[in-house]
Amino acid sequence: MSIRQIALFSYGFRPFFLGGALWALFAMLIWIGLITGEVVSLGLTPAAWHAHEFLFGYVGAIIAGFLLTAVPNWTGRAPLQGAPLLSLFILWLMGRIAFLLASQIGYLAAAIADSLFLIALAVFVFREVVAAENTGNIRIALILSVLALANLLFHAEIITQGQPVFAVRGTISLIVMLIGVIGGRVVPNFTRNWLARRGDTRLPAPMGRFDQVVLASSIVALAFWTFLPDLPVSALFLFAAGVMHAARLGRWSGWRTGAEPLVLILHIGYAFVPLGFVLVALSFVWPFEIPLSAALHAWTSGAMGVMTLAIMTRATRGHCGHPLTAPPATQFIYLMVVVATLLRLSEILLPDAASMLHLASGGAWLVAFSGFVAAYGPMLLRPRAGSAQG
């Protein structure tokens, strides 16, 4: 049997969704160990390790799984399969192992091993969209390329300064923009398709000039926050962008999707984008009442965590030949990842209970991703239902 015939390596979403979910579990266990003192240092500060392995480790894997599945649809070119896909997955896995062993092998060696994955992924996506003359998706390839550069900057900041403040802000901004761009496609499109099948004529607003203005305002706001975070005008731009994203979400008819959680969860996940903009803006005004570390979790645990699980479950069901609906187990996964986010954000209202809330949020996160591995792991490991192909 060739590697291509192994279901796990027949399509990009399979190894990266499963690997990313398993890493989300393992990394959260390590993070809980770090904050409780049960795990010793891993070669850099606990907060830096946590930020890197969430943004570049977990989110990087899910971005890879999504793009390796979406790019062939966008370009009409063959998907990455078999040995090349396995090689890319090994690069991702090598980065995770190297970061765990940074104190043993040296940080520079760990940084080099970790950097290869996103660079290789960016090169592949650029090659595909350029070869297909798919100019409409060049901006996604550019964002991915800048994400690879942000990872290099993270390592450079750790080596030179010991703390990756600028790189973390920049990376969060890039991923929020990626959610804004891709979410602006998938959320209204999936909603429109579901409503149309039900005969509902009140469909989401199509992509238009307003969406372009929202994305442009987001670039400005996030650029100010990344490069000039102490300027009061940064808070104003962030707040304005948050209001505009809320208005954008309101145009997508999410309130009519309650009968199908597989669609509704996309709207819930995207709702954390404007909430993040607003909370980060308000953290400028009331830094003690709304700590930035808590506000950022509207974007990280919320927008990134919820949206990735929403995409992972939907893409896995669709590509593995299962009905596009959310059974009870999937609904439970959604509930727990939203609970994890809300518990983390509750620190704003209950600052004295912050430590307990951090642990409770981590526990809910573990339940959500354990549920995904249990319910969707078998789908990802087996051939497509009713077919020998993945």
Side-chain angles (χ1 to χ4, degrees):
M1 176 184 289
S2 69
I3 296 175
R4 182 174 296 190
Q5 292 174 301
I6 299 173
L8 185 63
F9 298 105
S10 62
Y11 226 114
F13 71 93
R14 291 177 176 271
F16 284 105
F17 285 0
L18 183 57
L22 288 169
W23 185 246
L25 286 171
F26 187 60
M28 180 55 72
L29 288 172
I30 293 176
W31 172 240
I32 291 173
L34 286 168
I35 63 177
T36 58
E38 298 297 323
V39 176
V40 296
S41 174
L42 295 171
L44 63 168
T45 66
W49 186 90
H50 178 56
H52 185 275
E53 290 308 291
F54 177 76
L55 296 172
F56 298 106
Y58 167 69
V59 177
I62 308 311
I63 288 174
F66 174 82
L67 290 179
L68 292 174
T69 306
V71 167
N73 293 330
W74 297 341
T75 62
R77 290 169 58 83
L80 195 69
Q81 296 176 312
L85 177 57
L86 174 60
S87 299
L88 187 62
F89 182 72
I90 289 173
L91 285 181
W92 174 80
L93 187 61
M94 183 173 68
R96 311 288 61 76
I97 295 171
F99 238 59
L100 283 175
L101 301 176
S103 59
Q104 283 78 41
I105 66 176
Y107 189 83
L108 181 59
I112 293 171
D114 173 70
S115 301
L116 298 176
F117 165 66
L118 283 175
I119 293 172
L121 179 63
V123 168
F124 170 77
V125 173
F126 243 119
R127 186 194 73 183
E128 294 300 290
V129 296
V130 170
E133 299 181 354
N134 186 237
T135 56
N137 288 303
I138 286 290
R139 61 180 176 177
I140 291 177
L142 286 171
I143 292 174
L144 183 59
S145 300
V146 177
L147 184 63
L149 291 174
N151 192 30
L152 294 174
L153 177 60
F154 181 102
H155 297 312
E157 282 192 301
I158 288 288
I159 292 170
T160 59
Q161 302 176 35
Q163 197 66 22
V165 177
F166 179 81
V168 169
R169 286 198 308 269
T171 303
I172 291 173
S173 296
L174 285 169
I175 297 173
V176 168
M177 278 305 306
L178 200 58
I179 292 173
V181 173
I182 295 177
R185 295 181 183 183
V186 300
V187 179
N189 285 345
F190 291 161
T191 303
R192 184 179 299 109
N193 294 341
W194 184 79
L195 290 173
R197 286 197 300 270
R198 291 168 58 91
D200 196 328
T201 57
R202 297 168 297 172
L203 303 178
M207 184 80 171
R209 188 177 300 276
F210 179 75
D211 298 270
Q212 295 172 356
V213 172
V214 174
L215 293 176
S217 72
S218 301
I219 292 173
V220 172
L222 292 169
F224 267 87
W225 178 64
T226 300
F227 296 103
L228 302 167
D230 296 325
L231 286 186
V233 72
S234 298
L236 181 62
F237 285 139
L238 287 167
F239 191 87
V243 172
M244 295 180 74
H245 272 283
R248 187 190 196 202
L249 178 61
R251 289 157 49 92
W252 293 342
S253 304
W255 62 90
R256 294 205 295 276
T257 64
E260 182 45 76
L262 196 71
V263 181
L264 177 62
I265 192 63
L266 292 166
H267 295 265
I268 294 173
Y270 196 91
F272 285 106
V273 172
L275 180 61
F277 274 104
V278 171
L279 287 178
V280 174
L282 294 179
S283 72
F284 281 81
V285 183
W286 297 296
F288 297 106
E289 292 81 1
I290 305 178
L292 179 61
S293 60
L296 287 175
H297 279 78
W299 277 337
T300 54
S301 297
M304 298 178 200
V306 177
M307 284 294 283
T308 51
L309 269 176
I311 293 296
M312 290 158 68
T313 50
R314 184 184 181 93
T316 300
R317 298 191 70 83
H319 287 281
C320 292
H322 294 266
L324 286 177
T325 188
T330 301
Q331 295 177 40
F332 181 69
I333 292 168
Y334 296 159
L335 173 64
M336 294 312 297
V337 74
V338 172
V339 167
T341 303
L342 295 179
L343 284 170
R344 188 62 179 80
L345 293 177
S346 295
E347 177 191 346
I348 296 171
L349 301 175
L350 301 168
D352 293 337
S355 296
M356 181 186 70
L357 291 169
H358 292 177
L359 292 175
S361 174
W365 179 274
L366 290 172
V367 172
F369 281 89
S370 295
F372 178 85
V373 171
Y376 287 85
M379 298 183 198
L380 294 165
L381 290 169
R382 296 194 200 106
R384 179 181 172 90
S387 171
Q389 301 300 318

